[in-house]
Amino acid sequence: MFHVLYSSVTRNSSFGEVVMIRVLFGLIALILILSAGAMGTVSEETQACLDCHSLYTPGIVEDWLSSRHSNVTVDQALELPRIERRVTNENVSEVLRSVSIGCYECHTLNTDKHQDSFEHFDYKINLIVSPNDCATCHSEEVSQYTGSKKAHALGNLQDNELFSLMVSTHTSVKNVSETEIGQLEASENAKNESCYACHGTEVIVRGLRTVETDLGDIEVLDLDNWPNQGVGRVNPDGSLGACTSCHPRHSFSIEIARKPYTCSQCHLEPDVPAWQVYKESKHGNIFSSIGSKWEWNSVPWVLGKDFKAPSCAVCHNSLVVNSEGDEILPRTHDFGARIWQRIFGLIYSHPQTISGQTSIIRNSDSQPLPTTFDGEIAAEYLISEQEQQSRQDDMKSLCRNCHGRTWADEYFVKFDSTVTEADMMVASATRLIMAAWELNLEDKSNPFDETIEFRWVRQWLFYANSLRYASAMSGPDYAAFKNGWWSLTENLQLMKDFIEQKQALRR
Amino acid sequence: MFHVLYSSVTRNSSFGEVVMIRVLFGLIALILILSAGAMGTVSEETQACLDCHSLYTPGIVEDWLSSRHSNVTVDQALELPRIERRVTNENVSEVLRSVSIGCYECHTLNTDKHQDSFEHFDYKINLIVSPNDCATCHSEEVSQYTGSKKAHALGNLQDNELFSLMVSTHTSVKNVSETEIGQLEASENAKNESCYACHGTEVIVRGLRTVETDLGDIEVLDLDNWPNQGVGRVNPDGSLGACTSCHPRHSFSIEIARKPYTCSQCHLEPDVPAWQVYKESKHGNIFSSIGSKWEWNSVPWVLGKDFKAPSCAVCHNSLVVNSEGDEILPRTHDFGARIWQRIFGLIYSHPQTISGQTSIIRNSDSQPLPTTFDGEIAAEYLISEQEQQSRQDDMKSLCRNCHGRTWADEYFVKFDSTVTEADMMVASATRLIMAAWELNLEDKSNPFDETIEFRWVRQWLFYANSLRYASAMSGPDYAAFKNGWWSLTENLQLMKDFIEQKQALRR
Amino acid sequence: MFHVLYSSVTRNSSFGEVVMIRVLFGLIALILILSAGAMGTVSEETQACLDCHSLYTPGIVEDWLSSRHSNVTVDQALELPRIERRVTNENVSEVLRSVSIGCYECHTLNTDKHQDSFEHFDYKINLIVSPNDCATCHSEEVSQYTGSKKAHALGNLQDNELFSLMVSTHTSVKNVSETEIGQLEASENAKNESCYACHGTEVIVRGLRTVETDLGDIEVLDLDNWPNQGVGRVNPDGSLGACTSCHPRHSFSIEIARKPYTCSQCHLEPDVPAWQVYKESKHGNIFSSIGSKWEWNSVPWVLGKDFKAPSCAVCHNSLVVNSEGDEILPRTHDFGARIWQRIFGLIYSHPQTISGQTSIIRNSDSQPLPTTFDGEIAAEYLISEQEQQSRQDDMKSLCRNCHGRTWADEYFVKFDSTVTEADMMVASATRLIMAAWELNLEDKSNPFDETIEFRWVRQWLFYANSLRYASAMSGPDYAAFKNGWWSLTENLQLMKDFIEQKQALRR
């Protein structure tokens, strides 16, 4: 911190000022150094890692040095009152309790489960620290996460025959002969770079390979589908997810995880415009304007004091308390757990799924979807009306810390009405595409590869999602001209025109 | 501030450092507490509000505690030299002058005019604090605002038969039968979530309803078209606007109002890409890079010292002075008052309107538009050439504080030329759509609902606006590939193609 | 800095706190003032400039006062160890070495070469300070820049007959008669506001003109194609470029130049979505979340300490060292010098050009393009495979400071694969447009003005670029739904449909 403070003070100073400031800082530094206990106690093994890696991967080492892991031991972490704790397992084994959480402590856990375990300068190291390893100390968080849709994000695409058809249709190279378009098989790479970059890849250990280094030849792992930090990554120990998706990489920062920029890596337009809608909302406006002055690292997170307007984390997962320290909402790492309805990704909105594994769903038309094309929900896979109401009530109780009764109540009435209308606009597009199929204007076998089918997907995946998000977080442009009502209406006209033209040309 | 400073210092510190810092901060805190006069004088009534609401709506209370309203009395505010004042009414009544401006002081003003006045624990409270109430202290600001286009933003849509047709066409649910598209009546909700979210709603008091609370059943207001913070909100006391549009909600922050993020809630692409163009301009580049170090709260605002590059507020409404304290431009809350030309929202650019109420305009073709489809302006409703020149000269005088003569002069020559060319590109699209109507390829009765009509609207509402804004604030992408010249040109081709196809199919 | 620190401390303080803080700050200020050496030594001539301009252009003066130029003399700058220096010419003439680098010092250099030199209150002043002038002290930077593609950005458009046809096609006003579209000649203004705003204009001195001022009539320069700050500006002294493109305007800030917001003025979607992809990448996520705490002004730039994740400047041009102070990559102002492949702007990706002047290239079909329509590269104008490998190895050596071997290696394997697939998707579109030309469905003479031609340009200029960038910097949305695989696939369908319709209508 000293470095940062010194820099911020001297940045705009004249040479004369700098001299004086140096003297002042020198004195303070002396006091601090004398009283400082340095960075916890680094284990011998981690020290060995640091000795080399501070030369070879200084970025990793510096990042770790700035982390809580390097500065606080488990014993210290558990001394805090329960509501201030970040460590949820009270029974961490003795050997890990009084040392800094360093390289060795994390990269050698549960080695027997890790196919990515390998010999590295006399240590047996796992390349990937998985959620299962993090659960050593953060057991509740991992337990919540593991059952969530995020953890199953890869399987929810790959094991759903409709979605996997959509993925392979859109990520495959097309070749052209005369004026006909053919389709090659989609490469793993193309999927990894697009859909699976967010959803996660299955990391596969191919074996070892030898590389030349300044220290001579060494063996490193040879991996498929790597690198990847998707939320549903299938790790070489079989666990699901990557904590680094949101807590990147060796700072394990809660600040970064809480900043909406993190969520915005994947939740962005045109298909999931959460970030863009938030940014143009009043909440986002306040965040952008004064958020840099807020306290992003405190646990628990005090509404009104630490932050003045909600960000993604406030509503969807953080432990939030009021000025008196009373809990408003508990922490959850199942990011769907507070939400009653699902407003994106699927054709129609629907109640949240009971299981995070959505590929098991079958609707009454035997499709792997939570609703039929007519909008009938697959109720047995979805949470009950009672549970929906309970979740909405909890969310409303958060809103009411800053908004009056009528404001909060009417907000959700608006939202319900808009979601219903968005679904109606999708239903109209669905009727048009079904007409096109029935009239044999397009081929139904792959519903994702012809012109009018692209328009149909736009209607639910881009435009209806935009309208629903615009309502959920009050970003009116996405309800209007930016992929909202305007696009929903224009797109229907284009679908109708397309059908008329095809019919006319056929005659 | 202590909390923030302490947090920022300790954030990256080791445990040892923190101990030492705590001691230092403790000493300083002691001194501050002994000398601190706390937060002005809270009235008894406001204290009663705070007693409950610090428990039930702590977010509101914490926000207010951070505000100038809680920390400065009117008497203190009026002690400042005139140019530093934020209070413009020098004759505020005695009863409000020596207390903090708290809950009670604002929510009980002009009760007789407020249809949203209701009994709340023995107090008669207005739910909405309206511009008319804020005028108690901020009379000049409200007076300027009330005559502006922003204040009339709802009526300017609703009372203009063309614009209201456009709104209802695009926000209505469409149903499909066979391959025909029908249109339901647009719901109030759909309009409120899209167009009226920015333009404002008419808030209507339905009556009271009873809700259960921890303190027993209480009565709260039942409102239509609520919540809303649009700039042209029609309040239950008949006044127009919502000061919270830009000064959200109980911090009444001048910093937030001045940050371009606030304007960007509504002034954004595709129809009004002011924010996006600013962001990619050199001015926006400098703001994004170093704006966090500027002084956003000072009145007056010192060019070159408080800020290094203009943001929206600098050019369009703030009181700006030079390093000597001389006024460069006075404050205005009529955000169109410094602008000579209107470059968005309408088919062609045109001189600013004289009145903020634009629905009264009739052009020579009896349309409620400031220009005819041929581009002839409705001169009697628009400011004179002399007034236009005078406004441009004033704006240029601001530019010249950082730019040389030739730079500033040529800048406006460029702008005029680009606006003219943008209008020519709209005129070409207008000629194509009129041809389509004359050829009976599309139905003229509603000019907003068929495919080529969507293209025509795109030309003036998205693409010509983008080009004009790109020039006004030097964001070249919006003049080129992002909705600029590229789109204007491609769109004309698509309109022409559409006409040719329809004609060919008819033959 | 005092002003800023004082403001930040008092901003949220109560009146009582402010009194105490004022006393503390007063004492510190006294000490600083006594010890301060003020701002270097301002020359007499510059002082004369400041005397007037602090009144007439205070924004410029304040900006300069905050700059290193006003605070450090060349002699002081050269006292630093070589790796910390910003001045690369060790032989700056004596007359410039011991004074502040002020108005006079820069605006009077090399007057004989400057067609924009003019008499101004008894001084001979150059309006534009050109790269050639900056080279007086920053010789290496200017030398690197002058050979780069950026320096030649205007000629690379204007002197390439295909690109200049594209520019004039898209920036020309179109007129409509009946349903036919005609094209006027593109105005200089339209080009200056769009393409040349980034690429640069040729600034031409028309002569002098007289303007009225408070000090009486004065003569100022009359210029064409001004103002402009494009990277390839042709200056009135014949030099290429504008250092102010990135180091705006009188602060000459290295912080602003290093912030990605600067690059994002031109490198943005749809054609060059570098900024958008970066922002949604993990690197960009970290920058957005905690970048405001980094040290943006230090030279050299210490990886891991000064910054925690790369921004544009880190990878593409800055002098970066590790925690030990060892150089990782040297500074370059040829922004293409570290890149082995060119992934945007041209139909297919290809090895970097040898010369920054790309208009000299001729492929085997005699087109001024680095590849033929079939993808054959014009090898003699492009860097060798060996040079490509060497550059990729250097870049990888940077990555490896934060990433393991396999991560870094596989990253580039992914990138190569994606670029290949993007090129294949362009090749398919190229085959379709060539079919349309052969079938006489569209006219080949201008490949940029008809509907299917717009679609073809979209394929390579918008969608393939997006996919390549998405891979280069890991922003998966641009590989998927945002102008990536989705758009590449849909666009091919639309091209095919267009051909089918045109053929059907002809029959």
Side-chain angles (χ1 to χ4, degrees), chain C residues 350-372 375-385 387-388 391:
Chain C
H350 58 83
Q352 276 288 342
T353 58
I354 294 169
S355 165
Q357 192 178 3
T358 62
S359 56
I360 58 172
I361 295 173
R362 288 295 171 278
N363 65 25
S364 65
D365 289 339
S366 302
Q367 295 165 311
L369 298 174
T371 64
T372 63
E376 183 198 338
I377 64 169
E380 66 177 294
Y381 299 95
L382 309 176
I383 63 172
S384 67
E385 273 187 47
E387 174 66 16
Q388 290 178 59
R391 293 189 186 187

Side-chain angles (χ1 to χ4, degrees), chain C residues 49-173:
Chain C
C49 304
L50 293 173
D51 288 345
C52 276
H53 280 274
S54 61
L55 286 172
Y56 291 106
T57 58
I60 294 177
V61 172
E62 293 290 343
D63 207 24
W64 176 75
L65 283 172
S66 75
S67 76
R68 205 170 163 88
H69 275 181
S70 76
N71 284 299
V72 181
T73 65
V74 173
D75 273 339
Q76 289 171 325
L78 287 172
E79 274 166 28
L80 293 171
R82 183 171 266 278
I83 203 160
E84 294 182 26
R85 282 188 207 160
R86 295 149 207 247
V87 168
T88 41
N89 179 12
E90 294 182 13
N91 304 308
V92 178
S93 75
E94 276 308 317
V95 68
L96 289 168
R97 291 183 77 120
S98 55
V99 291
S100 291
I101 307 306
C103 326
Y104 183 80
E105 284 67 32
C106 295
H107 281 275
T108 58
L109 291 167
N110 310 307
T111 294
D112 53 321
K113 295 185 185 156
H114 274 274
Q115 298 189 15
D116 57 325
S117 189
F118 71 113
E119 291 284 331
H120 183 67
F121 293 97
D122 296 334
Y123 293 103
K124 189 95 177 166
I125 299 294
N126 310 324
L127 184 74
I128 293 175
V129 179
S130 78
N132 186 48
D133 302 329
C134 299
T136 305
C137 297
H138 307 283
S139 48
E140 276 185 27
E141 289 74 11
V142 173
S143 160
Q144 292 161 343
Y145 189 87
T146 300
S148 73
K149 285 202 297 297
K150 277 201 171 33
H152 290 89
L154 178 60
N156 289 349
L157 272 193
Q158 273 188 327
D159 303 337
N160 179 314
E161 62 264 31
L162 268 173
F163 287 164
S164 70
L165 176 60
M166 185 165 161
V167 170
S168 63
T169 301
H170 295 151
T171 61
S172 57
V173 169

Side-chain angles (χ1 to χ4, degrees), chain C residues 223-447:
Chain C
L223 299 170
D224 267 345
N225 307 325
W226 178 257
N228 177 273
Q229 307 173 88
V231 294
R233 191 177 67 197
V234 180
N235 300 301
D237 66 351
S239 68
L240 300 177
C243 300
T244 50
S245 299
C246 305
H247 299 275
R249 278 201 60 220
H250 291 89
S251 71
F252 321 101
S253 164
I254 196 168
E255 172 170 10
I256 294 176
R258 280 175 171 175
K259 290 266 170 91
Y261 307 112
T262 299
C263 314
S264 83
Q265 282 199 261
C266 294
H267 292 229
L268 77 184
E269 66 138 334
D271 50 321
V272 198
W275 161 240
Q276 280 90 0
V277 167
Y278 173 73
K279 205 169 44 165
E280 74 181 55
S281 73
K282 184 50 83 188
H283 291 159
N285 167 205
I286 296 171
F287 158 75
S288 297
S289 298
I290 59 169
S292 61
K293 298 174 193 163
W294 298 350
E295 180 46 70
W296 289 90
N297 280 302
S298 66
V299 173
W301 219 7
V302 187
L303 180 146
K305 282 193 199 298
D306 289 337
F307 60 86
K308 298 282 184 189
S311 53
C312 319
V314 170
C315 295
H316 294 292
N317 89 302
S318 291
L319 164 61
V320 178
V321 301
N322 64 18
S323 324
E324 313 284 307
D326 302 327
E327 182 180 292
I328 299 173
L329 284 175
R331 184 189 294 120
T332 175
H333 272 69
D334 174 354
F335 296 83
R338 294 188 188 164
I339 308 178
W340 54 101
Q341 208 167 7
R342 194 143 163 248
I343 60 169
F344 76 97
L346 274 293
I347 302 176
Y348 302 105
S349 71
H350 58 83
Q352 276 288 342
T353 58
I354 294 169
S355 165
Q357 192 178 3
T358 62
S359 56
I360 58 172
I361 295 173
R362 288 295 171 278
N363 65 25
S364 65
D365 289 339
S366 302
Q367 295 165 311
L369 298 174
T371 64
T372 63
F373 275 28
D374 290 332
E376 183 198 338
I377 64 169
E380 66 177 294
Y381 299 95
L382 309 176
I383 63 172
S384 67
E385 273 187 47
Q386 193 183 356
E387 174 66 16
Q388 290 178 59
Q389 194 57 54
S390 156
R391 293 189 186 187
Q392 192 179 107
D393 289 346
D394 282 351
M395 187 73 92
K396 214 184 277 183
S397 77
L398 178 63
C399 306
R400 286 219 304 264
N401 284 279
C402 299
H403 294 286
R405 276 275 178 174
T406 307
W407 182 296
D409 288 346
E410 290 300 319
Y411 196 91
F412 289 93
V413 170
K414 278 177 30 162
F415 175 63
D416 287 343
S417 173
T418 295
V419 167
T420 301
E421 295 196 336
D423 286 343
M424 290 168 78
M425 289 298 275
V426 173
S428 291
T430 304
R431 278 194 282 276
L432 285 176
I433 200 177
M434 289 170 78
W437 287 332
E438 277 163 37
L439 295 165
N440 281 317
L441 300 175
E442 295 280 32
D443 168 24
K444 184 184 185 162
S445 61
N446 180 342

Side-chain angles (χ1 to χ4, degrees), chain B residues 14-129:
Chain B
S14 74
F15 263 46
E17 290 171 345
V18 167
V19 172
M20 202 61 204
I21 292 165
R22 276 191 188 165
V23 174
L24 289 171
F25 268 73
L27 284 170
I28 300 174
L30 191 65
I31 297 168
L32 290 176
I33 289 164
L34 292 174
S35 66
M39 47 165 194
T41 312
V42 172
S43 69
E44 262 181 58
E45 294 87 349
T46 288
Q47 191 55 55
C49 305
L50 293 174
D51 288 345
C52 275
H53 279 276
S54 61
L55 287 172
Y56 292 105
T57 57
I60 294 177
V61 172
E62 293 290 342
D63 208 24
W64 177 76
L65 283 172
S66 75
S67 76
R68 204 170 162 89
H69 276 180
S70 76
N71 284 298
V72 181
T73 65
V74 174
D75 272 340
Q76 289 172 325
L78 288 172
E79 274 166 29
L80 294 171
R82 185 170 264 281
I83 203 161
E84 294 182 26
R85 282 189 208 159
R86 294 147 207 248
V87 169
T88 41
N89 180 13
E90 293 182 14
N91 304 308
V92 178
S93 75
E94 276 307 318
V95 67
L96 289 168
R97 293 182 76 120
S98 55
V99 291
S100 291
I101 307 305
C103 325
Y104 183 80
E105 284 67 32
C106 296
H107 281 273
T108 58
L109 292 166
N110 310 306
T111 294
D112 53 323
K113 295 186 185 155
H114 273 274
Q115 298 190 18
D116 58 324
S117 188
F118 70 113
E119 291 284 331
H120 184 66
F121 293 97
D122 297 335
Y123 293 103
K124 189 92 177 166
I125 299 295
N126 310 324
L127 184 74
I128 293 174
V129 179

Side-chain angles (χ1 to χ4, degrees), chain A residues 282 285 289 293 295 305 323 401-403 405-406 409 414 418 421 428 471 477 489-490 497 501, chain B residues 7 13 57 59 62 174 176 187 189 193 209 212 221 245 249 255 259 262 265 269 451 458 501:
Chain A
K282 184 50 82 187
N285 167 204
S289 297
K293 298 174 192 163
E295 181 46 69
K305 281 194 201 297
S323 323
N401 284 280
C402 299
H403 294 286
R405 277 275 177 171
T406 307
D409 288 345
K414 279 177 29 164
T418 297
E421 295 197 336
S428 292
S471 177
D477 195 34
T489 301
E490 186 189 37
D497 271 11
Q501 275 174 19
Chain B
S7 303
S13 307
T57 57
E62 293 290 342
K174 280 84 190 174
V176 164
S187 70
N189 182 70
E193 292 265 77
R209 63 186 180 109
E212 289 173 35
L221 280 177
S245 298
R249 281 203 59 222
E255 172 169 11
K259 291 266 170 91
T262 298
Q265 283 198 260
E269 66 140 334
T451 298
R458 283 175 173 268
Q501 275 174 19

Side-chain angles (χ1 to χ4, degrees), chain B residues 282 293 418 428 471 477 497, chain C residues 174 193 245 255 269 451:
Chain B
K282 184 50 82 188
K293 298 174 193 162
T418 296
S428 292
S471 177
D477 196 34
D497 271 11
Chain C
K174 281 84 190 173
E193 292 267 77
S245 299
E255 172 170 10
E269 66 138 334
T451 298

